[in-house]
Structure formats: C-alpha cells, structure tokens
Amino acid sequence: MNRGRILCAALLALAVPGGFWVARGSGDGDVGPWGLIGAMPPVYWLCLLVPAAVFLRELTRDRDPWLLSGALAAQALLLHGAAAAAEALPRFATAWLHAGFTNQILVTGELTPALDARFSWPGFFSAAAVFSSAVGVEPVALLEWAPTVFVLAYLPPLALLARSLSGSVPVMWTTLWIFLVANWIGQDYFAPQSLALLMFLIAVSVVCRVFLEPPGGSPQRRPAGPLWAGAGRLRQLAGRWTTTPPPVHPVPGIRQRVALLAFLVLLLAALSMTHQLTPFMLAATLAVFALAGVLRPRLLPVIALTVAVGWVSFGAAAFWTGHLRTMFGGADESIGSGVEDRLTGSEIHQWVLYVRISFALLVWVLAALGAAHALRRRRLSLPAAALAFTPFSLLAVQSYGGEGVLRVYLFSLPGMSLLAAGLIVELIGSRQPAVPARRRRVAAAYACTVAILPVFFVARYGNESFERVTAGEVQAVQALYAAAPPGSLLVSVTPNLPWRYQGLAGYSYLSVQSDELALDRAAPIIALMSQHSQGAFLIITRGQTVYAEESYDLPKDFSGRLEREISASGRFRTVHRNDEGVVYRLVSQSEADDVSG
Amino acid sequence: MYRDRRAVSLIIIGWSLTAAVWAGFDRQHGFAVDHLRLLVVGGFLLAGPGLAAVRLMRLTDRLLATVVATGISLLTLVVAAQASLYTDAWSPPAVVGAIAVLTALLAAAGARRAPAPAAAGPADGEPAAGAP
C-alpha cells in the first residue's frame, strides 16, 4: 500500500470519530430556522469532506475497493448519523410513535388495528419487539441510530443491483455515492417503510443478478395472447435502443436458482406483512421486467401481486374495510396534496421545501440525461430504466396520505442514481490518461461534491428546529403520563409531539391541527376537551409551537396568546411546567367557578 | 477445507446457543456488557440465520451471498415474530430460541455438505465466459 492510500485510510479512521466528537451537543441548543446546518461546528464540515475527497481520489485513480467501501461507510455515518451525533435524544415524533407500537406488541403480544391502521402490517413492529427484547433495551433506545443502520444496510443490495445492471465497477461505486447524497428524504427512520425499502432493494438486486436474461432468450417458452404479442412488438422496438446486461460470473446453477426463487417468495411474504405500499411497487417493477421480456420466471410479478393482495385481503381486512378511497386516491390528489399543500408555512420553511424539490429535480434531470446519453449510444440498460421510471406509476393509483411524490422519489432513487452515475462516469472519463481536459473534469467533480454536501444538510435536516426532540419536551410528556389517569383524553395542539411511546392503548389521544381548530384560541379547545368525561389534559411544547409557526405560518407569539387565554379562562390547572413545555388539566366549570369565587 | 467448514459451522452453532440463552435474560448489566449483548444477540438476529443458509446454498459470489444472507435473516425474524403473534403464543425469547435452533440445524447441514468447487473464470461481477 502506498503512502497516499495509507494517509487516506488514516484520515477516514479519524474523520468519523472526530466528526461525532465535535458535533455532540450541537443540535441540543437553538439550531436556527435552517436546521442543523447552522448548528454544526466548522470542524465537522472538514470531517465531512474527508470521505468525499477520499472517494473521488480513489474513484479516479486506484479504485481500491477497501478504501472506496470505507469512504462510503464514513460518508453514510457522517451524513445520516449527524443528528444522532449532535442531539441527545432521538429525533422525529413519528419515530417515537412507532416505538409505542413496538412497545404495545412487546408488552401485550396483541395487535390493535382499531387504534391505528399500521397494526394491520405489523411485520416491522413485531420484529422490532423481538429484537429489543432480545438485546435487552427499550424500543425507544433503537430510534437514535436506526437511520444510519438502515442507510448502511441499503448499500450492499444497491451495489449488487448497480454491478449487475451496469457491468461497470466505477458506475457501481458512483451509484452508491449518489444514493447516499441524494437520499435526503428521511424515510429511513425507525419505521416499516425503512425495512420495506431494504427488502425491496434485496429482492430487486437478487432478481437483477440471477433472474434477468436478454429478451427473447427462450422463444419456445414465450406465452401466447394479444398482451404478450403487443409486448413482443414493444420489446422488439426497445431492443433496438436498449441493452440487457450479460450474465455475470459466477452464474448460479439450477439448484441455486430454485433456492433463490424460494427465498424471493418468502421475502415477498415478509414484505407484504411489513408495509402496505412497497409490495405493490415491487410487483409493478417485476411486471415491467416481465413485459420487457427480460425476467425469468415471468410469473414472479404475479406471485408478488398475489402475495401482496392476499395479505391485504386477509391480514389487513380490518383496515381496508371502508378505506378504499384512502388506498386508491387519484393522481390529482397525489400530486396536489404531495406538492402544493406542502408548500406552505414560513418563508424559510418554504425555501427548505424549494431546496428539496430542486434537489429531486436535479437528480431526475441528471438521470434523464444519463438515460438519453445511453439511449443515443444504444446502450441504455432496460432494467435500470424500468427501475427508475416505474415508480411514477404510483402517482396514478395511490395518494398515500399526500406523500405520493415523496414515495416516487424514494423508490425511483436507486434507478435514477444508476442512470446518473453512468453519465458522471462517462463525463469524468477513463482513469488512465491524465490529460488536462480530464483534470478539469475531475476538479469539477470535486467542486460539485463540496457544493452538494451543505445542500444535503438543508434538504435533510432543514426542519430540525421542530423535528428534534429535547429533554424538556420528554420531561413534559412523562409528567403528562404521570398525572393523567388511564382513560383520560390527552390533547396536543399540533401532531408534532414525541408521545404515545408508552400508554398507547390506555388513553384517548387527540392532536389538534390548524385546519381543524384555530390554534391560538382556547375556547374551541375547551369545548373539545369538555366532551370527554374521564378527565382531559392539554400539553403544549416548544416543538409543537415551532412546528405550527414553520409549517402553518402562525404568528410567532401565538403560543403566548394561547397560554394567556388558557389562563384567563380559569378552566385549566397547571400540572407541570418547564422551559420546553407545559401540561394543563381541564377542570369542570363548577370547579373553576369555585376557585374564581 | 472440510475442517474449515466444520469450524465455521461450530462457531455459528455456538453463536446461536449464546444468543438464545442471552436473549432470555431481563437484567441490565452495565454499559460494556449491554453493548456486547447488542453486538452478539442483535448481530445474530440480523446475520446468523442468513449466514448459515447461504453456506448451505454454496453461493460463491460474495456480494450476492451478503445480500441474500441479510435478506434471509430479516425474513426469518419477521416471519418468526409474526408466527408468534398470530398464534397467540407471543414470547420474544421463544422466537429467538426458534431462530437459534433453525440456524444451528442449517449450520450443521452446511458442515455436512461438500465444499463448492472453486469457480474458475473471471472475477465476481465480471461478464461470464461466453456471454455476449
């Protein structure tokens, strides 16, 4: 090993612990409206640049697999583990809720789909319950590093996928790096979709490695019928412009293929129990492979669809009865509620959203240019294009609570990264000739890398002002549970609260949203809480108010006004108060009159 | 080679037994021991069953074997937990025990199989001989 590579390895070994060391506690104070980017110390940015620089150096020179792997792992840790390193408590209120689902299964061993639809797909929660029990920690303890672990776990199947479809080692490494940097979407927290995406990548990568073959490979087995005849004409047309990667060494034998097919079917079953959307996305991707004539066996998408529909029909019947509209919303709803409705809130919050949209568009445009470039050379990988563009079909059938566009970006990212990587590797050129033109391109690649890392931080952690969780907030939530007798109604003024990680079934919960109730008025909250006969408690925390200010664009002093109204009403008693939150108990009108009298 | 396979199988069986026993403990033992438990038991659940199964399948492409091993471990954990839940026999230690037994059986079967013949040809991931 030469001196340069030893130095690179040493820098990588120092960058991760050094970055985490200087970042600790940075996210616990006021992070500012742009999120973590304003809170991280300058040394952290230097540490963040080390893996990027090592990666580019190796990619354009020696391509040492150990150094490239180390650089990618370090980049994943420093990018996706930044919040875990900088903040004392796990971020993101929904992750705390998922810890509550896990805890509910762990303690009771029962599913309660009446409480939440997600109990109809309990694969992730039951597995997490077994895992947390086996390793001897509370489910909440798993939240902090879950995103980092999931992102690291995505890399091997993505590498297999990229290697199988491109047949190029530089394209494989570049795909991984693009995926790491472009994955700002934050869907890798402690959640079913994180595990489901991992299973999706594993299934697709194994299919691409073992079960793809050039179109028309077995004409005698080709099914008859108008659908296949039409698909055949399309295949002929596509075959002129596209390519399917050749089988790679070592080619699995027939027994191994049978074993891997059985593995895929079992994985499909586990996936169907885990997440409502991903199995259908996988079935759609496999169906496009089959229609393109490159998938053997062709029945695999039918099996995938049958397993997914089977679980929805039987395992999740408690959910879909009466919710078909929710499951199959239209394209207008997907796009409308996915993009337009999210472009609300404070000016800076809207800028964060614009950065996210621009980042997604940049990746898509790069991928489209990569696809066009490959198509011009008649070398476009048909499965890669299918993987990149099939997720857009999701918009036509699934609203997914207004997150359709985000899901499209998430599922298209592996294929898009691959197409964009092909273009970037072509642009940088061969590693051999050190001609000035190539030097300029490599320098440009370094510059782009340096520029994109802060953009990632804004896109990924731009909402950290309200997505982070502080010790004071958790203390207030614990005081709420300590004060509220079982059966009480617990009310939060916005949904952004780290609660329900315990006592999930023991209380009635109500998250008031701005479109349901004016947040800065106490009277409607009192009216709502008075309807509950078993006692009602209200909690207001810093995270809730910042969320309302940033997302609903409410005035900065709205929580102060609300608290003044609460105090003036005489209907609330303060149960707990600290710098980050306050808990009130609603008292009856007669009790309030007695005190005021 | 055959001795190596038996040694690896024995290590996996020992790992399975350790994980199954340790998963049954409730108490916290302190920072170092708890983190060791996370590594041994957590690592077993996320890698053990897949590692044993992949050896039985004799996959020689290391990247493919890594991916399949991860997938098998995850699906084993999900399916075993689901089975425990839906049969009203919820017991996380029993789930870990069942996974450990399955893993030990796969590892034992893997030890009895003859090793895969050395794959001659290009490096992993390169186009196979005769490919267009």
Side-chain angles (χ1 to χ4, degrees):
Chain A
M1 188 181 272
N2 64 32
R3 276 187 198 170
R5 286 156 80 181
I6 291 171
L7 181 66
C8 285
L11 283 173
L12 283 178
L14 286 173
V16 176
F20 284 172
W21 178 262
V22 297
R24 74 194 192 289
S26 305
D28 289 331
D30 183 11
V31 297
W34 291 94
L36 267 190
I37 192 169
M40 301 307 263
V43 178
Y44 190 84
W45 297 106
L46 288 177
C47 294
L48 193 60
L49 286 177
V50 168
V54 171
F55 179 81
L56 268 175
R57 180 190 184 275
E58 281 304 308
L59 186 70
T60 52
R61 290 190 187 184
D62 303 326
R63 292 183 193 152
D64 180 283
W66 290 105
L67 271 181
L68 284 166
S69 302
L72 283 170
Q75 195 79 83
L77 286 166
L78 287 168
L79 284 176
H80 296 272
E87 296 166 13
L89 288 169
R91 67 192 291 280
F92 205 34
T94 312
W96 288 71
L97 172 61
H98 289 168
F101 292 158
T102 305
N103 200 48
Q104 170 77 8
I105 290 175
L106 180 61
V107 173
T108 66
E110 290 175 1
L111 297 171
T112 44
L115 277 180
D116 195 288
R118 282 164 280 195
F119 277 112
S120 293
W121 287 269
F124 171 78
F125 300 118
S126 56
V130 169
F131 187 87
S132 69
S133 165
V135 300
V137 299
E138 295 289 324
V140 167
L142 301 175
L143 306 188
E144 194 152 27
W145 288 97
T148 318
V149 171
F150 275 119
V151 167
L152 285 170
Y154 296 153
L155 297 181
L158 192 58
L160 182 65
L161 181 72
R163 194 192 70 182
S164 304
L165 294 187
S166 70
S168 160
V169 173
V171 170
M172 177 190 82
W173 292 115
T174 311
T175 301
L176 298 181
W177 197 83
I178 293 174
F179 180 83
L180 278 183
V181 175
N183 185 14
W184 55 261
I185 201 157
Q187 290 296 321
D188 39 32
Y189 62 101
F190 187 80
Q193 66 264 31
S194 307
L195 179 62
L197 181 63
L198 178 57
M199 291 176 165
F200 173 88
L201 285 173
I202 290 172
V204 171
S205 64
V206 171
V207 164
C208 290
R209 171 67 179 83
V210 180
F211 296 105
L212 290 191
E213 60 180 52
S218 307
Q220 71 278 15
R221 286 183 288 157
R222 195 171 295 161
L227 178 66
W228 287 102
R233 280 191 287 276
L234 274 176
R235 279 198 301 274
Q236 281 178 355
L237 190 66
R240 290 181 202 159
W241 297 90
T242 62
T243 178
T244 305
V248 293
H249 180 82
V251 180
I254 183 70
R255 284 184 181 178
Q256 288 171 323
R257 286 170 63 93
V258 170
L260 288 171
L261 193 60
F263 157 68
L264 279 178
V265 173
L266 287 172
L267 190 66
L268 288 169
L271 178 60
S272 298
M273 298 170 188
T274 301
H275 195 232
Q276 54 271 57
L277 177 65
T278 312
F280 292 98
M281 198 65 254
L282 180 60
T285 305
L286 295 178
V288 174
F289 286 177
L291 285 172
V294 296
L295 180 69
R296 301 286 186 279
R298 280 207 187 93
L299 281 180
L300 200 52
V302 178
I303 296 170
L305 193 62
T306 306
V307 172
V309 170
W311 181 261
V312 172
S313 304
F314 298 104
F319 166 71
W320 62 260
T321 311
H323 289 79
L324 286 178
R325 171 70 183 160
T326 313
M327 292 179 73
F328 299 103
D332 52 338
E333 190 181 339
S334 295
I335 298 167
S337 56
V339 177
E340 290 166 20
D341 291 358
R342 285 170 183 271
L343 288 177
T344 56
S346 73
E347 194 177 343
I348 291 180
H349 180 66
Q350 289 192 39
W351 271 108
V352 171
L353 296 177
Y354 287 132
V355 169
R356 290 178 168 179
I357 293 169
S358 307
F359 204 156
L361 289 176
L362 174 70
V363 174
W364 284 345
V365 167
L366 268 178
L369 288 174
H373 181 71
L375 201 59
R376 200 159 58 90
R377 296 183 163 205
R378 302 196 173 194
R379 278 172 42 198
L380 175 65
S381 165
L382 194 59
L387 199 59
F389 296 106
T390 304
F392 286 88
S393 63
L394 182 68
L395 291 175
V397 292
Q398 241 291 349
S399 67
Y400 210 76
E403 290 190 358
V405 177
L406 296 180
R407 305 290 162 161
V408 168
Y409 181 70
L410 180 69
F411 285 113
S412 70
L413 192 54
M416 294 287 180
S417 301
L418 181 54
L419 293 175
L423 179 70
I424 289 171
V425 169
E426 285 273 333
L427 285 176
I428 291 178
S430 163
R431 61 180 164 169
Q432 296 303 333
V435 293
R438 181 171 181 268
R439 281 185 191 156
R440 280 198 295 274
R441 288 173 183 176
V442 172
Y446 275 94
C448 290
T449 304
V450 171
I452 206 74
L453 294 176
V455 180
F456 169 88
F457 256 74
V458 173
R460 170 87 193 221
Y461 301 115
N463 290 337
E464 211 58 16
S465 58
F466 57 82
E467 286 186 343
R468 73 195 172 103
V469 172
T470 62
E473 287 175 291
V474 174
Q475 197 183 355
V477 170
Q478 284 172 341
L480 171 73
Y481 283 120
S488 304
L489 174 69
L490 310 183
V491 178
S492 71
V493 292
T494 71
N496 188 53
L497 179 68
W499 65 349
R500 300 177 73 184
Y501 59 89
Q502 65 178 72
L504 190 70
Y507 300 93
S508 298
Y509 291 89
L510 185 68
S511 291
V512 181
Q513 299 192 35
S514 65
D515 53 351
E516 296 168 353
L517 191 69
L519 277 164
D520 54 351
R521 292 182 55 204
I525 295 177
I526 294 170
L528 204 66
M529 293 174 72
S530 300
Q531 295 169 9
H532 197 79
S533 58
Q534 291 180 270
F537 291 77
L538 174 69
I539 180 168
I540 305 173
T541 60
R542 179 207 58 80
Q544 291 179 70
T545 54
V546 176
Y547 177 73
E549 289 162 10
E550 293 292 328
S551 295
Y552 304 149
D553 203 16
L554 290 178
K556 288 284 179 194
D557 63 336
F558 94 91
S559 62
R561 276 197 290 154
L562 179 61
E563 289 199 39
R564 284 194 294 277
E565 279 195 34
I566 284 171
S567 177
S569 74
R571 292 293 305 274
F572 290 93
R573 299 287 173 271
T574 304
V575 173
H576 173 88
R577 180 183 289 277
N578 65 37
D579 292 343
E580 299 281 328
V582 56
V583 179
Y584 297 104
R585 178 173 64 88
L586 183 77
V587 297
S588 64
Q589 186 64 56
S590 57
E591 193 180 340
D593 292 342
D594 288 347
V595 172
S596 61
Chain B
M1 179 72 87
Y2 187 62
R3 274 187 184 173
D4 288 350
R5 291 184 66 81
R6 284 183 60 182
V8 174
S9 292
L10 283 174
I11 289 170
I12 295 174
I13 291 169
W15 191 15
S16 308
L17 292 175
T18 309
V21 172
W22 210 343
F25 282 95
D26 277 339
R27 288 178 301 167
Q28 306 279 310
H29 298 276
F31 184 84
V33 179
D34 288 345
H35 280 72
L36 187 63
R37 177 174 174 173
L38 181 65
L39 275 178
V40 172
V41 183
F44 167 74
L45 288 174
L46 299 181
L51 189 60
V54 161
R55 291 181 72 247
L56 200 60
M57 291 163 77
R58 300 199 299 184
L59 295 174
T60 49
D61 180 344
R62 283 184 187 173
L63 187 52
L64 176 65
T66 305
V67 171
V68 172
T70 310
I72 288 175
S73 300
L74 289 176
L75 82 85
T76 306
L77 180 58
V78 169
V79 170
Q82 293 285 85
S84 178
L85 203 55
Y86 279 92
T87 54
D88 290 331
W90 176 249
S91 168
V95 172
V96 180
I99 293 174
V101 169
L102 175 71
T103 305
L105 289 174
L106 288 171
R112 294 173 63 88
R113 284 198 76 174
D124 285 0
E126 296 292 322

